[in-house]
Amino acid sequence: MRRYTSIIIIVLVILISVGFASVTTSLIANGVSNVTTNPDDFQVYFSYVYSESGGTAEISSDKHNITYNSKKLTTVGETTSLSFVVTNDSSQYDADVSITYTIEDVVNNKDYSSYFTVTRSSFVNHESMPAKTHTGGIITIRLDKAILEDISLTFNVTLDVRAVERTEEGSGLPDITYGSEEEMMLYSIINDYRINHGLKPYYWDGDLYTAAQTRNLEIQESYSNTRPNGEPYYTANDVKIYGETLSKELMSLDEVLTAWVTNENTYSIVMSDTVEENGESYPPFSAIGCSITNTETNKYISCEYGYRVDL
């Protein structure tokens, strides 16, 4: 007898809902006596999306919607994930961001609400996103119970964004050189772990990513925090780099993160909260860039950590 395996496909629709409800008249006056709101300056949008293998994702032309069709889920415990980057390109407004989701979970008169667990990183309720910044997030849906028929479910996720006044104008939106799908997934996994432990997510930084690419080539020659020329790792960008984590084992990204957070030295970098050095206290790192190279025998990973100097 032929056996049939039931499959499920998740359709994930993410919407940015932009509002001006939080704005007061206490705005940047720029020397003008008549102060008013400036809705045209409030620009928050999806700037990047990346889906895991087997799924497809697309940002709408107005950059306010993402439509994601997942890979097929067939077994209990299997997950599907979508990672994305939101940009606040405003000069005069920070953004207050909350996230909600609803599930169209009744198919053929059957309620599937208990069949899934949905988790998300970044954008906890009323998270502040400063002007001229990028923030990444990830949404993961886990199949908790076996199904008996092929179905497609739609998850609707809304990022509710409200403008918040600033006392000084933001400037210098950093250029982003995005990584590969695998590199951005590692970035999201690290942020997910930090948020689940009460820490703020890292910003993705193009300069740190460029340095991580340099270091990735170097660790393939000499696997060490010391560069092949004998200089310390941070000289790959001595303005921004203040920490580094490396890996070369053939492991999954989750296993790499587990190895880092179970090691005392690398834990303090990945989970940077405050940095203590020579009796001085320094603020936690705020930015990261990660590079990955896969070979037949190794998965070389270099992540560089530092600060957003332009905030």
Side-chain angles (χ1 to χ4, degrees), residues 116-182:
F116 302 93
T117 299
V118 181
T119 58
R120 79 280 190 275
S121 71
S122 296
F123 307 111
V124 295
N125 285 342
H126 301 297
E127 177 177 326
S128 178
M129 186 176 178
K132 299 298 181 182
T133 60
H134 311 274
T135 299
I138 181 171
I139 296 175
T140 300
I141 302 172
R142 181 183 186 273
L143 180 61
D144 294 328
K145 190 185 300 185
I147 60 173
L148 300 176
E149 59 179 332
D150 294 354
I151 59 172
S152 176
L153 293 184
T154 300
F155 286 67
N156 296 299
V157 180
T158 301
L159 294 179
D160 188 44
V161 182
R162 293 292 180 266
V164 179
E165 67 274 9
R166 292 175 60 91
T167 57
E168 60 182 23
E169 193 168 16
S171 63
L173 180 69
D175 293 332
I176 284 192
T177 303
Y178 293 108
S180 67
E181 177 182 313
E182 187 178 29

Side-chain angles (χ1 to χ4, degrees), residues 6 8 10 73 75-79 103 105-107 110-118 141-149 151 153 155:
S6 296
I8 184 168
I10 302 298
L73 303 181
T75 58
V76 173
E78 195 171 4
T79 62
I103 311 172
D105 50 18
V106 177
V107 178
K110 183 172 181 177
D111 184 355
Y112 284 93
S113 59
S114 64
Y115 283 61
F116 302 93
T117 299
V118 181
I141 302 172
R142 181 183 186 273
L143 180 61
D144 294 328
K145 190 185 300 185
I147 60 173
L148 300 176
E149 59 179 332
I151 59 172
L153 293 184
F155 286 67

Side-chain angles (χ1 to χ4, degrees), residues 189-191 193-194 199-200 202 243-246 256-257 259-261 263-273 285 288 303 305:
I189 289 172
I190 290 172
N191 272 348
Y193 191 88
R194 286 178 57 83
L199 299 176
K200 291 184 177 181
Y202 287 128
E244 177 179 76
T245 54
L246 305 175
V256 170
L257 179 60
W260 285 344
V261 298
N263 177 284
E264 182 179 356
N265 293 328
T266 50
Y267 176 88
S268 65
I269 299 173
V270 175
M271 301 297 285
S272 171
D273 190 10
F285 301 143
I288 191 175
C303 287
Y305 304 76

Side-chain angles (χ1 to χ4, degrees), residues 202-222:
Y202 287 128
Y203 295 105
W204 179 266
D205 187 282
D207 292 333
L208 290 176
Y209 176 53
T210 298
Q213 290 177 304
T214 298
R215 290 290 295 128
N216 198 285
L217 292 173
E218 292 177 347
I219 64 174
Q220 294 176 52
E221 178 182 344
S222 175

